[in-house]
């Protein structure tokens, strides 16, 4: 996606921002395994489009204490995709399609629509001591409204069935930053992601939220050059990949470590 954003400052404390987003979407999926029942062997390639959306928000700040709170709303974006679907041989025979070696049938291209979800971001920060900043954020994305039903898939499944079933996502972040010298700063951040009250998830996204901690730092080499980086440890919440209400597996006791570095140059 590409974003063009403008900000208007009404005074030193109140501002608003708004802009347009251009989003491009393509996808492919293959369902393999007896847990999918009659859909075992279904696959599809979905060529999407480039579609517009918007975002709008406001901010209130008190520069003297480094206080700032802002909120941004992101609109849903409607996409039109063209589907090339391959049906399992048993299903192809039922709908009257010939089989192709080694037993799969390619369906002609058909169009369908999906909406990527609307979302809200809230960001907060305030000084709590000299050279020390407390910050927090919250993000809500309404993935429950996302339904993916390509034409042939829709024709052989109940109306409530979607290729992708994702719970609404709520991401929370809380952290503290410290400026030790004019050149050295560090931060410690806790993050939590909540995706719903139960452990049932889509097999295409086998996690049910996460806990994480990140240690970051930056070094101002000179007036133009800054080096920054961080290390994150994440613990994934147990999840049960489910198809048609039937649990297929148990994902538990999983974690991940990630590291990153950035180089910034001002001119």
């Amino acid at each position: 996606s590409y974003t063009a954003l403008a900000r208007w400052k009404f005074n030193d404390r109140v501002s608003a921002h708004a802009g347009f987003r251009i989003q491009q979407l393509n996808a492919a999926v293959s369902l393999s395994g007896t847990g999918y029942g009659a859909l075992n062997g279904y696959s599809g390639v979905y060529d999407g489009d480039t579609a517009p959306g918007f975002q709008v928000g406001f901010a209130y700040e008190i520069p003297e204490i480094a206080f700032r709170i802002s909120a941004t709303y992101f609109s849903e974006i409607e996409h039109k995709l063209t589907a090339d679907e391959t049906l399992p041989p048993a299903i192809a025979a039922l709908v009257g399609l010939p089989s192709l070696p080694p037993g799969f049938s390619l369906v002609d291209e058909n169009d369908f629509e999906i909406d990527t979800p609307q979302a809200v971001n809230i960001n907060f920060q305030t000084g709590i001591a000299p050279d020390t900043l407390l910050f927090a954020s919250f993000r809500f994305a309404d993935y429950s409204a996302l339904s993916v039903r390509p034409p042939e898939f829709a024709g052989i499944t109940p109306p409530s069935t979607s290729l992708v079933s994702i719970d609404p996502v709520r991401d929370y972040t809380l952290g503290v930053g410290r400026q030790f010298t004019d050149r050295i700063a560090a931060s410690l951040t806790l993050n939590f992601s909540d995706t719903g009250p139960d452990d049932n998830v889509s097999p295409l996204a086998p996690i049910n939220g996460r806990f994480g901690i990140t240690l970051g730092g930056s070094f101002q080499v000179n007036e133009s050059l800054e080096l920054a980086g961080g290390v994150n440890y994440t613990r994934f919440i147990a999840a049960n990949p489910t198809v048609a209400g039937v649990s297929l597996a148990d994902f538990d006791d999983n974690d991940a470590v990630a590291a990153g570095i950035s180089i910034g140059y001002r001119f």
Side-chain angles (χ1 to χ4, degrees):
S1 62
Y2 307 89
T3 300
L5 193 65
R7 180 179 181 222
W8 296 267
K9 292 191 68 175
F10 299 103
N11 52 51
D12 288 340
R13 296 195 173 188
V14 180
S15 63
H17 51 274
F20 294 96
R21 288 188 300 145
I22 302 297
Q23 189 179 78
Q24 188 177 41
L25 180 64
N26 296 284
V29 67
S30 179
L31 307 183
S32 180
T34 56
Y36 288 106
L39 288 174
N40 180 19
Y42 171 89
S43 65
V45 177
Y46 318 113
D47 291 327
D49 60 0
T50 301
F54 70 89
Q55 59 196 68
V56 61
F58 74 94
Y60 178 78
E61 50 196 313
I62 305 175
E64 295 81 5
I65 59 171
F67 175 90
R68 189 175 194 270
I69 186 169
S70 64
T72 305
Y73 169 78
F74 300 84
S75 70
E76 67 178 24
I77 297 180
E78 182 180 291
H79 288 274
K80 186 175 182 180
L81 294 88
T82 299
D84 281 334
E85 298 172 84
T86 301
L87 299 180
I91 297 296
L94 286 176
V95 297
L97 292 171
S99 292
L100 298 175
F104 292 96
S105 179
L106 185 65
V107 177
D108 290 337
E109 293 183 351
N110 290 293
D111 293 336
F112 71 105
E113 295 181 354
I114 69 168
D115 294 328
T116 55
Q118 60 183 348
V120 175
N121 284 5
I122 299 175
N123 294 280
F124 167 82
Q125 70 171 50
T126 186
I128 56 175
D131 298 322
T132 303
L133 191 70
L134 177 71
F135 55 90
S137 66
F138 170 73
R139 174 176 171 82
F140 172 75
D142 189 17
Y143 281 98
S144 63
L146 176 63
S147 179
V148 183
R149 289 179 55 78
E152 296 300 327
F153 176 89
I156 58 177
T157 58
S160 61
T161 304
S162 171
L163 265 177
V164 178
S165 178
I166 306 176
D167 290 326
V169 175
R170 298 170 180 85
D171 292 322
Y172 306 85
T173 299
L174 178 65
V176 61
R178 174 74 176 176
Q179 186 80 36
F180 293 101
T181 70
D182 291 342
R183 294 192 174 192
I184 300 174
S187 64
L188 181 67
T189 307
L190 303 175
N191 62 277
F192 169 65
S193 179
D194 175 30
T195 58
D198 58 50
D199 294 341
N200 296 333
V201 298
S202 167
L204 302 180
I207 64 171
N208 190 34
R210 68 193 74 190
F211 296 92
I213 183 170
T214 302
L215 179 63
S218 65
F219 175 64
Q220 191 73 41
V221 180
N222 52 46
E223 292 184 356
S224 300
L225 181 63
E226 181 184 54
L227 304 179
V231 178
N232 169 267
Y233 173 78
T234 294
R235 189 80 179 172
F236 298 110
I237 300 174
N240 297 324
T242 302
V243 173
V246 178
S247 179
L248 303 181
D250 181 13
F251 281 73
D252 196 6
D253 197 29
N254 293 303
D255 57 11
V257 176
I261 188 171
S262 68
I263 301 174
Y265 186 80
R266 298 180 179 86
F267 56 90

